[in-house]
Amino acid sequence: PHGQLKPASTLKMLTATTLIPLLNPNAYITASTQATTVEPNIAGLVAGSSYKVSDLFNALLLISANDAAIALAQGTGSLSSGVALMNAEAHHLQAWDTVAKDPNGLDAAGQHVSAYDLALIARQALKLPAFLRYDQTRTFDFKVSPAKNETLVNQNSLLSTYPGGLGGKIGWTSAAGAT
């Protein structure tokens, strides 16, 4: 339970658990070049465009948008402050095996979680009504730019195929495999 493993996108539960209480869902965040150039860039954020915080959380949890994760963390003032807040939240939850280096879970040197810690983080996430609203949304109309909308479809098939499934986060990277 305490093996230190690569988190892939399961780390986005910590991102959401940390930032949902801190960011005003009706506020707007301007996407930085750093957010829009992360690979893979899932939501297709456009540098210099502003996005509603609640829309970014939908993109984060429905389609595992790496660009939305960076933008949300930067919404705290900077990417480094967002990641520092995530690590502080992990310690607050006594998730001692967790070290976040980025808000999206993409492979990063020294970044790890354990199964035990993911259970602690998921338990906290599922206590947040806003997390459940975002995480259980099946589809969402996301405004990428003034001329382009995309329908986001929730990638977590456990919500539709596992009786009693409440939510959570799936993930995959080459190094982490399926998480």
Side-chain angles (χ1 to χ4, degrees), residues 93-153:
L93 297 173
Q94 299 180 3
W96 307 121
D97 303 322
T98 296
V99 174
K101 298 290 184 173
D102 62 48
N104 49 35
L106 292 174
D107 300 323
Q111 180 164 265
H112 49 78
V113 297
S114 67
Y116 182 88
D117 284 5
L118 285 175
L120 292 175
I121 294 163
R123 182 174 61 190
Q124 181 64 24
L126 295 172
K127 289 180 185 177
L128 298 173
F131 178 88
L132 285 169
R133 267 193 321 276
Y134 297 128
D135 198 48
Q136 293 176 348
T137 297
R138 301 302 175 122
T139 61
F140 181 77
D141 190 36
F142 184 78
K143 188 174 194 76
V144 177
S145 69
K148 182 179 179 186
N149 283 17
E150 291 287 338
T151 300
L152 309 182
V153 178

Side-chain angles (χ1 to χ4, degrees), residues 30-33 36 45-49 51:
T30 301
S32 68
T33 300
T36 61
L45 301 185
V46 177
S49 292
Y51 298 91

